[in-house]
Amino acid sequence: MVGLTSAAGVIALLDEHDDDLKVYALQKLNSIVDQFWAEISDAVSKIEIMYEDAGFKDRQLAALVASKVYYHLGEFDDSLNFALGAGNLIDLSQKSEYIDTIVSKCIDKYIALRNQEHEGPQNVEPMDPRLKDVVEKMFDRCYQDGEYKQAVGIALESRRLDVVEHSIKAGGPTNILPYIYELTMTVVLDQAYRNTLLQLLVKQFRNLEVPDYVSINQCLVHLGEDAASAELLQTLIKTEAQSDLLMAYQLAFDLENNATQIYLTKVAAALPTGSETLQSKYDKVKSILSGKETIKLQLEFLCKNNHTDMLILKNSKTMLDARLSIYHSAVTFANAFMNAGTTSDDFLRQNLEWLSRATNWSKFSATAALGVIHKGHLSQGLALLAPYLPQDGVTASPYSEGGSLFALGLIHANHGDEVLEYLRNTLKNTQIEVLQHGACLGLGTAGMATDNDDIYEELKNVLFSDSAIGGEAAGLAMGMVMLGTASEKALDEMLQYAHETQHEKIIRGLAVGISLVMYGKENAADALIEKLSSDKDPILRYGGMYTIAMAYCGTGNNKAIRRLLHVAVSDVNDDVRRAAVTALGFILFRSYKQVPRIVQLLSESYNPHVRYGACLALGISCAGSGSLDAIELLEPMTKDNVDFVRQGAFIALAMILMQQNEVQNSKAAGVRTMYEEVIKKKNEDALAKFGAVLGQGIIDAGGRNVTISMQSSSGHSNMPAIVGVALFTQFWYWFPASHFLSLAFTPTAIIGVNADLNMPELEFTSNARPSLFAYIPPTKPPQTAVVEKVATAVLSTTAKAQAKARKAKGAEGEAMEVEEEKPEKSEEAKEEEAKAANKAKKEPESEKLGNLARVLPAQLKYISFDKNSRYVPVKKDVAGGIVVLLDNQPGEPETLIPTSTAASSAPAPAPAETMEVEEEEAPLPEPFTYPFN
């Protein structure tokens, strides 16, 4: 039978008066519409008339044909309207592109209408009951097929909490609840709705046979319910079970890692007093919440595993002229980053003459570097800095005194209870601008997110003195103290003064400070963002871009991204455009793989400021990931013809390649070599060299034991890290701001503690090749070239005389016993022997690690604890950091790792090959003071 070549004959039947003929025509058209839709589209108006005719006996069939025609024409809204009119003729179980599209459009429209109902019920078009029926059928189909996660996805977006609860019960809480939690934190953008879902999750996690305390704790932190957190800890402590007590300790460590200072203070204050036994447990929890235990353990890890390569610093110092302030500062920052938290100031001790060349603000940065090196050394902070801190009746350099106040804040960053009063008094009693600058920065860093009105008022007094140097730091510090509070009083005062003052430095400090006040506020910050973004002052528009970055950090919010991209290509001010592109890195750090694609065109912009912003956006979002896509975009920018773009590329590459060895990432070694070559070049621009030296410090930060992590191990936004990186980007205007990057350094370790919060000796397995996550080998010092002796020229007469002498000796019969020399092996033969030896030693597929071991984020998935071993983690999924251990043999004696109280200076690390040998520690070096006048 010959197939149809035209639908004209069938279409003609639509003009007949007999309804049966029309129905026949529609049935025929329904079967051939996929082939002849273009022809049928001319007659679609006739089909629509049949559908609209209430007396026509097969209106649903007419609607189905019209829907398919509009589908092929690409008019999906019309297609959906007619599909809804087709009723039961549409078989949702049928597998076809048309059905999939209609269902997809149905769900999208349903979600849009449900969200409109929630936002403003008065202006919403009424929900079509047929649309609701289709969605309900889809839910039923998901239940029948066991696709509960699909049902949850639709339900979450359409705010159908009844479907969410049904899916949890039907699909099994253990499978569905983690999925819902993940979607709640990544997909749901509305903060109020997210909180409603988190409250639902808390209820569901509590109802499990074995309550998931870790997840409950995470939800409560997001909700800001400090009283509920305290109640949860109290409940666990009061039970007799040892495992519950250990879980309480683990939750306290997680809280300390994820919550703000003010939240932790409230939780600790809400814990009651009890009997002597209970009180000791409460005291331990309070000690953990104060951060002292975490900091002590991390300090121990960083000191014991310090792998700083001093030769890199030494070479950079030698190659750069220390008389230039920019180079001196660069090496200062690199040393501070490399030794961050290790308490090792060997480089400074060995280079006192070089250090003495620091002048003015270089001296400020050099003294502040002590705060980075000794970061977290809370017990000794004031004692360490005593020689440099301001003293009554003693007039020293205001720059070293100001730097020491900033250093004190960095040591006590985010844990400033012990020094806030001292810094406040110092600030109150000085009128010297540089001291005010250092004290303000120290107060802001130590008092981060404390919402302390007394400190805020003290900072405001400095601001109103209208000193450019002190006022800039006061503006930043006010933002840090009121971090994430969205305080209307603070915002009004800061914004008003920014409009009144004539000092650009003060306006910039306030603009960035305002952005910090709106940290994590998402939609609530929109009105302020609109106000700042439309201001005629470019510095306040610059602050508007940072406000978007801080308010929406880690959310991946499309509206925020669209706004930033628009400003990045339209604003008339270069600083604002640069800030807009940089802000993309903060918003997208959870989905960092998207960033290279988003900034690809911006990285090729004609405007160097936009290219620089693209560099920082890649570095911030992809930090520590080793992303090859990001590196591919950055490599051409290392050869850019503008010096500061090259600087940005060097810094971003270092952030991306932190802790990446050559086995993990083939680009790592090349980047390190590139830094050396840039620093060696005599004709290289100073800004590019500054970036290369900073890159060397960042890539090896914290003795190669830290990474820049914008989110905590449990997935929360890492507030100190985000704030630290945001303030670090201000080094564009003010080099001392570079030190703020140390707030983002997160130790990568597994530190196990027992019920007494001591570190027992334990063993766990990393199921990956040791070389994959090994430390980068130390730089080898240059070998002195051996001068080969040239053979002495022998004259022909001499040769003849020697030959005669030999013959004479032979004749005399004096036998000479000559020891035969073995021929020396060639270099090639030696290399082949070495290769053969390496082949014989096949690398193992796993390795055993102990307590205080460095474990990289990418390595965590390979870590396993033997269930039969003495110590096992109290929580199921080990996400690195501090792990509370359950002792399966409580009666047996424990072998604990001795803790050495970190002193003012740590001894230099042993060479790599002797690292594993335990030796007695060398005696502590004598204290010293900076050679500053």
Side-chain angles (χ1 to χ4, degrees), residues 158-175:
S158 58
R159 300 174 186 260
R160 288 286 301 275
L161 297 184
D162 57 324
V163 176
V164 173
E165 290 194 52
H166 178 76
S167 299
I168 292 169
K169 287 175 187 171
T174 49
N175 295 329

Side-chain angles (χ1 to χ4, degrees), residues 69-86:
V69 171
Y70 279 119
Y71 161 74
H72 286 294
L73 288 168
E75 298 288 341
F76 297 122
D77 289 337
D78 289 333
S79 177
L80 173 59
N81 288 334
F82 283 108
L84 292 174

Side-chain angles (χ1 to χ4, degrees), residues 642-778:
V642 179
D643 53 359
F644 62 77
V645 177
R646 297 201 295 280
Q647 179 196 81
F650 295 148
I651 291 170
L653 280 169
M655 293 168 87
I656 292 168
L657 288 169
M658 287 180 86
Q659 297 189 313
Q660 301 274 319
N661 62 24
E662 211 171 344
V663 179
Q664 247 181 308
N665 196 309
S666 55
K667 302 281 186 182
V671 169
R672 289 169 181 277
T673 308
M674 177 181 66
Y675 289 150
E676 290 174 23
E677 289 170 356
V678 168
I679 294 164
K680 275 180 193 172
K681 274 187 195 172
K682 289 195 175 176
N683 59 347
E684 184 60 87
D685 293 296
L687 280 180
K689 284 190 176 184
F690 180 87
V693 178
L694 231 60
Q696 285 186 326
I698 294 167
I699 202 169
D700 286 339
R704 295 178 171 165
N705 290 307
V706 301
T707 188
I708 292 175
S709 180
M710 305 288 271
Q711 55 183 327
S712 67
S713 53
S714 54
H716 290 257
S717 294
N718 186 349
M719 186 191 69
I722 293 166
V723 173
V725 174
L727 293 172
F728 164 73
T729 60
Q730 305 310 307
F731 82 86
W732 174 276
Y733 305 101
W734 196 236
F735 282 163
S738 302
H739 286 310
F740 280 114
L741 189 63
S742 63
L743 302 182
F745 292 159
T746 308
T748 51
I750 285 183
I751 305 171
V753 294
N754 61 13
D756 297 321
L757 305 185
N758 293 322
M759 293 179 290
E761 287 188 0
L762 73 139
E763 199 175 68
F764 54 91
T765 308
S766 170
N767 297 297
R769 289 178 292 124
S771 64
L772 191 59
F773 300 107
Y775 282 103
I776 296 114

Side-chain angles (χ1 to χ4, degrees), residues 44 131 257 623 710 789 886:
V44 75
L131 181 68
N257 193 24
M710 305 288 271
K789 291 183 181 179
L886 179 65

Side-chain angles (χ1 to χ4, degrees), residues 171 210 297 325 332 391 409 455 669 713 886:
V210 180
L297 294 166
S325 172
T332 298
Q391 294 170 14
I455 295 175
S713 53
L886 179 65

Side-chain angles (χ1 to χ4, degrees), residues 482-537:
M482 306 305 282
L483 180 65
T485 60
S487 164
E488 286 187 22
K489 175 188 172 227
L491 290 170
D492 289 344
E493 289 176 346
M494 292 167 81
L495 198 53
Q496 185 182 348
Y497 195 75
H499 282 122
E500 289 173 4
T501 186
Q502 298 300 308
H503 293 292
E504 282 192 3
K505 286 171 79 70
I506 294 179
I507 300 171
R508 188 175 299 111
L510 286 168
V512 177
I514 286 168
S515 73
L516 298 178
V517 176
M518 295 309 288
Y519 170 84
K521 291 301 171 191
E522 299 183 29
N523 299 339
D526 285 349
L528 179 65
I529 289 167
E530 187 64 47
K531 192 174 181 181
L532 291 171
S533 301
S534 56
D535 199 286
K536 64 180 181 182
D537 188 338

Side-chain angles (χ1 to χ4, degrees), residues 163-235:
V163 176
V164 173
E165 290 194 52
H166 178 76
S167 299
I168 292 169
K169 287 175 187 171
T174 49
N175 295 329
I176 304 296
L177 283 175
Y179 179 70
I180 295 174
Y181 176 76
E182 186 186 345
L183 289 183
T184 301
M185 300 315 302
T186 54
V187 175
V188 178
L189 300 178
D190 183 70
Q191 210 164 12
Y193 176 47
R194 190 189 306 143
N195 288 346
T196 306
L197 285 169
L198 287 170
Q199 284 165 348
L200 171 69
L201 285 169
V202 168
K203 189 172 80 175
Q204 294 291 338
F205 282 128
R206 285 186 191 277
N207 291 340
L208 294 174
E209 285 184 30
V210 180
D212 188 344
Y213 295 116
V214 174
S215 299
I216 292 169
N217 198 37
Q218 287 179 14
C219 293
L220 292 176
V221 172
H222 280 299
L223 289 166
E225 295 185 2
D226 47 86
S229 288
E231 188 186 335
L232 179 64
L233 291 172
Q234 195 178 334
T235 307

